Amino acid sequence: MKHLSDYVNPYIGTISHMLTSTKPEVMLPYGMARSFPVANDNGDSYCNDRVLGFPLGAAYVMPGKGGSFHNILDHSRETARCYYNRLELEEHGIVAETTVTQHVFLHRFSGQDCLRLTFPGGSAQVEGNTLRITLPWANRGRASLQEYVYVQLGEGVAVTGQEEEALILSAPSCTEVRGAMSLISLESAQKSFEAEAAGRDFEAIQAQAQKIWDDQLGKFIVEGNTEDRKTVFYTALYRAFQRMTDLTEHGQYFSGFDGKVHAGVFYSNDGLWDTFRCMHPLQLLVDERRHKDILASYVEMYKQSGLMPCFPGIEGDLPVMIGFHAASLFADAMAKGVEADYETAYEGIRKNAMEQSMMPWACNAPAGPEEECYWEKGFFPALKKGETETCPAAHPFERRQSVAVTLEHCYDDWCAGQMAEKLGKAGDAALFAQRAQGYKSLYNPELGWMAPKSIDGQWVEDFNPKFAGGMGGRDYTTENNTWTYTWSVLHDPEGLAELMGGKEQAGERLDQLFREGFHNEPSKFIYLGQFPDSTGLMGQFAMGNEPSFHIPYLYDYFGQPWKAQKKLRDLMDVWFTNSPTGICGDEDGGAMSSWLVFSAMGFYPVCPGKAEYALGTPLFDSMEMKMEHGAAFKVTAKGAGEGLRYIQSATLNGQKLDRPFLTHEQITAGGELKLEMGSKPVK
């Protein structure tokens, strides 16, 4: 029987459609040790065939022969798995193998006679076959943040020379190099090495890594489609469980938020603007214990730094993207009954919403007149045509993104209001509920799309919903135009439909989104030059960027679920494939793949913070999801794997399902959603 982990193809998405490709990482779920061939060619991962070495944290080791370390990788002679990698370096016939534990990298080499161990910007202490390496954390962030690597060299390996930031070693033709990483100390790295790798052979550790992935992926069992589609699905799961990173080391962790070591469990490294939409909701369903630790980590970040983070990195909060989406993270968990310290979390969320700048990439700056405009008038102001920026918090490249900022903060304020109501804070609940309706102030009925206003309440002149705003639309939007951003009213699609004249008209507007071209306007290649994140295009719909994720499911809210079924199957079949180009946009730390997992299962969390999911169309004849508390939820859809996409009828545990939505409780209680599928829509 095939292991589920052997369905994973880490090279899916390693050639990007426009921007950043994925990396073929060998790692454990949420793990610190992440191994892939190191290269310095600034291109897609799949194309980087000149290998510099194999990682030991930020250090790396390279096998060579006769003093030469030049090697070329040929993917046709490579075995790539999520738990193991074997490749041949053709210049010298060297074979390199890699596996990992939570903190330890293990590399086995054969066919070489020398090694070069590089430690960029760091230092190394040599004691026999033991190396102790200290490196700066990627030369950025807190000065106190260091990476420590405890390395054990194989028998017969010896230091023979030193270069700048590198050691040269002689080596027998078959040897291993193992290294444990730590953010705390060399002693902690050594402790991880001894606990996870000492005295254990390579095959045993490889088998353990495979079992860990088999168990993780085994929370989802799919049947009834091609082997390629199973590969796409399980690879998406592998990506969905790569973040956040568990930074815990023996009951302690180093926090980049205050530069100190603390007791406890801690996760960081989260692109929250990307991941709040469906990665966190997916992990909440099947990894609830970890999700509680993640929520607790966010609370600790707030306690340590004084702000709820926007985009937490290992070195601390990164002022990246827009919104205060920790509000979504906690509102969603609260709505779905997950235990957490919501009082403290709400304190931080409220502070962000009431005191901090809403300017893109500036969440650590104080609020000013622009925020007061949003609080009082409902919209974040754009600059007038030709107006010079005067706000000191404005990023020179990211600019104001005023429409996107308004819409995403309206949603975050709705989330904050949901929390306030449940915590008995009636005044705050009313305030945030009012703010959440501010999106209506930017709907321009003459255009039929959201549009920017200046601080005096006037529409910005000559606004073009497709092309306005410069690179990435950044004067008014975030990486997408307002054909996309108009739909970013996650919390109130019914209210958005009313602005458009009703659900029927809103559905027609969605239809046009998926078919709209460029007519006599600048062409598609001009558009992609301006909006490089908007890959995976179908009309103006951009599957390759996160603000589009929920849009096909809006048909459910507009009374036209068969249209969601049609579009979703097209999107899954066209844009997610078993190939290096098989992810149509930036993976963004599991976000893109989490969309595919939910959509392949047949339902999706349109609005985190509401304990409900909109139905789409499943990719497989059957899917079973197993949850930590022992219940399992099954979706049966005979014929879906052969391409049937339209739901003819639906029953949940034998009872007719009369609306295209599931509640969180219905899923977590377990049972079976049975869908009768057909080739034609039921309207």
Side-chain angles (χ1 to χ4, degrees):
M1 181 177 177
K2 188 173 183 178
H3 288 268
L4 293 181
S5 55
D6 287 334
Y7 277 106
V8 174
N9 176 7
Y11 276 102
I12 289 178
T14 52
I15 295 178
S16 72
H17 285 244
M18 196 69 106
L19 299 175
T20 303
S21 67
T22 63
K23 295 181 176 65
E25 293 178 306
V26 177
M27 59 177 295
L28 298 186
Y30 308 94
M32 281 182 71
R34 300 164 184 240
S35 184
F36 54 91
V38 177
N40 66 357
D41 294 303
N42 188 21
D44 294 318
S45 299
Y46 188 86
C47 304
N48 290 337
D49 63 344
R50 295 192 298 179
V51 179
L52 294 182
F54 301 89
L56 300 163
Y60 53 92
V61 60
M62 185 65 196
K65 184 172 281 187
S68 170
F69 297 98
H70 178 69
N71 275 301
I72 300 295
L73 163 65
D74 182 345
H75 292 301
S76 70
R77 299 197 299 274
E78 180 180 11
T79 300
R81 300 287 186 266
C82 54
Y83 60 89
Y84 168 76
N85 181 266
R86 180 191 183 278
L87 55 84
E88 296 182 26
L89 300 168
E90 62 183 35
E91 293 292 294
H92 304 297
I94 296 170
V95 173
E97 298 173 90
T98 294
T99 192
V100 296
T101 69
Q102 175 70 13
H103 302 95
V104 182
F105 302 81
L106 296 93
H107 305 300
R108 182 165 62 184
F109 305 119
S110 58
Q112 75 291 320
D113 61 18
C114 56
L115 303 169
R116 179 168 60 200
L117 200 155
T118 305
F119 38 90
S123 61
Q125 299 174 349
V126 182
E127 298 176 13
N129 69 340
T130 299
L131 306 180
R132 291 177 170 84
I133 300 172
T134 302
L135 305 109
W137 177 259
N139 298 313
R140 68 180 192 273
R142 295 181 176 274
S144 58
L145 178 52
Q146 301 283 319
E147 182 175 302
Y148 305 94
V149 188
Y150 176 84
V151 178
Q152 281 284 312
L153 304 173
E155 186 176 349
V157 178
V159 176
T160 59
Q162 184 162 359
E163 300 176 351
E164 185 179 358
E165 300 181 346
L167 296 175
I168 306 301
L169 308 103
S170 62
S173 62
C174 185
T175 193
E176 291 186 17
V177 177
R178 303 181 175 194
M181 64 179 295
S182 169
L183 298 179
I184 296 176
S185 66
L186 286 165
E187 291 74 21
S188 184
Q190 182 176 352
K191 189 174 181 180
S192 292
F193 183 92
E194 292 170 350
E196 299 174 18
R200 304 178 61 205
D201 65 31
F202 188 97
E203 283 77 13
I205 294 173
Q206 175 187 330
Q208 173 186 273
Q210 182 173 30
K211 184 180 186 306
I212 289 170
W213 272 116
D214 283 341
D215 290 346
Q216 183 71 16
L217 300 173
K219 296 174 182 180
F220 300 83
I221 302 297
V222 296
E223 299 292 345
N225 205 317
T226 66
E227 293 294 283
D228 259 7
R229 300 312 284 166
K230 289 180 181 178
T231 289
V232 169
F233 180 78
Y234 284 110
T235 302
L237 278 174
Y238 145 77
R239 297 284 179 197
F241 296 120
Q242 290 185 341
R243 307 293 194 277
M244 299 168 70
T245 305
D246 182 357
L247 300 181
T248 313
E249 303 176 36
H250 320 292
Q252 292 184 305
Y253 65 90
F254 176 89
S255 172
F257 289 81
D258 64 359
K260 298 178 181 178
V261 176
H262 300 264
V265 174
F266 191 69
Y267 289 73
S268 193
N269 188 21
D270 188 15
L272 189 56
W273 183 83
D274 308 285
T275 59
F276 84 86
R277 304 167 197 271
C278 53
M279 190 195 82
H280 283 293
L282 179 66
Q283 293 175 359
L284 183 154
L285 277 171
V286 295
D287 277 353
E288 186 172 331
R289 285 192 293 268
R290 282 194 190 266
H291 200 67
K292 290 178 182 178
D293 288 337
I294 285 170
L295 295 171
S297 298
Y298 266 86
V299 170
E300 290 304 309
M301 294 174 200
Y302 164 60
K303 290 179 179 178
Q304 293 164 12
S305 69
L307 290 174
M308 189 61 78
C310 298
F311 210 89
I314 291 175
E315 62 269 50
D317 192 24
L318 306 176
V320 172
M321 302 305 294
I322 64 174
F324 297 140
H325 295 312
S328 172
L329 183 67
F330 281 92
D332 193 48
M334 196 176 201
K336 295 171 181 175
V338 178
E339 295 178 2
D341 182 358
Y342 291 109
E343 283 284 356
T344 304
Y346 177 75
E347 178 184 296
I349 288 165
R350 187 183 192 280
K351 183 176 181 180
N352 282 21
M354 302 297 288
E355 300 178 16
Q356 294 306 116
S357 173
M358 295 164 59
M359 280 286 178
W361 295 61
C363 56
N364 53 3
E370 294 78 19
E371 287 72 31
E372 292 174 3
C373 178
Y374 171 78
W375 299 337
E376 295 169 7
K377 300 178 184 179
F379 64 90
F380 191 74
L383 295 174
K384 292 182 178 181
K385 189 175 180 180
E387 184 180 1
T388 301
E389 181 62 77
T390 58
C391 178
H395 191 286
F397 177 76
E398 298 296 338
R399 304 194 294 281
R400 292 202 175 191
Q401 304 178 25
S402 57
V403 173
V405 166
T406 297
L407 298 176
E408 296 205 20
H409 278 274
C410 285
Y411 165 66
D412 287 340
D413 283 339
W414 177 85
C415 291
Q418 296 296 298
M419 293 185 68
E421 183 176 353
K422 291 180 176 68
L423 292 171
K425 304 177 189 298
D428 279 5
L431 170 66
F432 286 123
Q434 180 181 359
R435 281 194 193 179
Q437 294 298 301
Y439 73 89
K440 296 177 180 178
S441 66
L442 290 189
Y443 184 77
N444 187 329
E446 293 185 10
L447 290 175
W449 302 106
M450 298 290 178
K453 285 181 177 178
S454 54
I455 200 166
D456 60 6
Q458 300 299 307
W459 297 112
V460 172
E461 296 177 2
D462 300 326
F463 175 73
N464 182 327
K466 287 184 189 175
F467 287 96
M471 176 57 69
R474 284 177 171 83
D475 284 335
Y476 312 122
T477 49
T478 304
E479 303 177 353
N480 301 266
N481 62 21
T482 56
W483 275 74
T484 293
Y485 250 102
T486 291
W487 307 100
S488 291
V489 187
L490 310 184
H491 57 292
D492 192 15
E494 297 86 356
L496 177 61
E498 288 180 13
L499 293 178
M500 294 179 171
K503 293 182 178 179
E504 183 176 349
Q505 291 85 346
E508 292 172 356
R509 189 69 55 80
L510 268 184
D511 294 344
Q512 192 61 27
L513 174 76
F514 283 99
R515 64 170 69 104
E516 178 73 14
F518 297 97
H519 310 299
N520 296 319
E521 302 166 304
S523 66
K524 185 175 181 178
F525 78 85
I526 296 293
Y527 171 84
L528 286 172
Q530 182 181 346
F531 294 96
D533 296 87
S534 293
T535 51
L537 284 177
M538 286 189 174
Q540 293 295 302
F541 175 85
M543 184 68 256
N545 204 243
E546 283 76 13
S548 296
F549 282 3
H550 69 291
I551 291 176
Y553 292 93
L554 293 179
Y555 280 120
D556 286 359
Y557 296 86
F558 302 156
Q560 301 169 354
W562 65 91
K563 292 183 179 178
Q565 295 154 28
K566 175 184 178 182
K567 296 301 181 186
L568 285 162
R569 186 58 186 250
D570 282 346
L571 292 167
M572 286 187 279
D573 286 347
V574 170
W575 291 120
F576 295 87
T577 61
N578 181 16
S579 78
T581 58
I583 299 176
C584 61
D586 285 5
E587 174 58 66
D588 286 322
M592 194 71 58
S593 289
S594 297
W595 182 92
L596 188 276
V597 171
F598 265 121
S599 296
M601 291 195 292
F603 54 92
Y604 183 81
V606 168
C607 179
K610 294 181 182 178
E612 71 173 17
Y613 305 82
L615 284 186
T617 187
L619 196 58
F620 299 95
D621 286 359
S622 70
M623 182 286 305
E624 186 176 42
M625 177 177 62
K626 303 171 185 178
M627 292 161 280
E628 283 184 341
H629 59 279
F633 184 72
K634 189 172 185 179
V635 178
T636 304
K638 188 176 180 180
E642 296 176 355
L644 298 181
R645 65 183 65 187
Y646 294 108
I647 298 172
Q648 311 294 295
S649 63
T651 58
L652 180 63
N653 298 328
Q655 301 296 311
K656 183 179 179 181
L657 190 70
D658 56 6
R659 58 192 297 268
F661 298 95
L662 296 168
T663 68
H664 184 72
E665 186 177 3
Q666 286 172 330
I667 291 174
T668 56
E672 182 180 15
L673 173 67
K674 188 171 183 179
L675 305 174
E676 296 294 329
M677 307 301 293
S679 60
K680 295 181 180 180
V682 174
K683 300 181 180 180

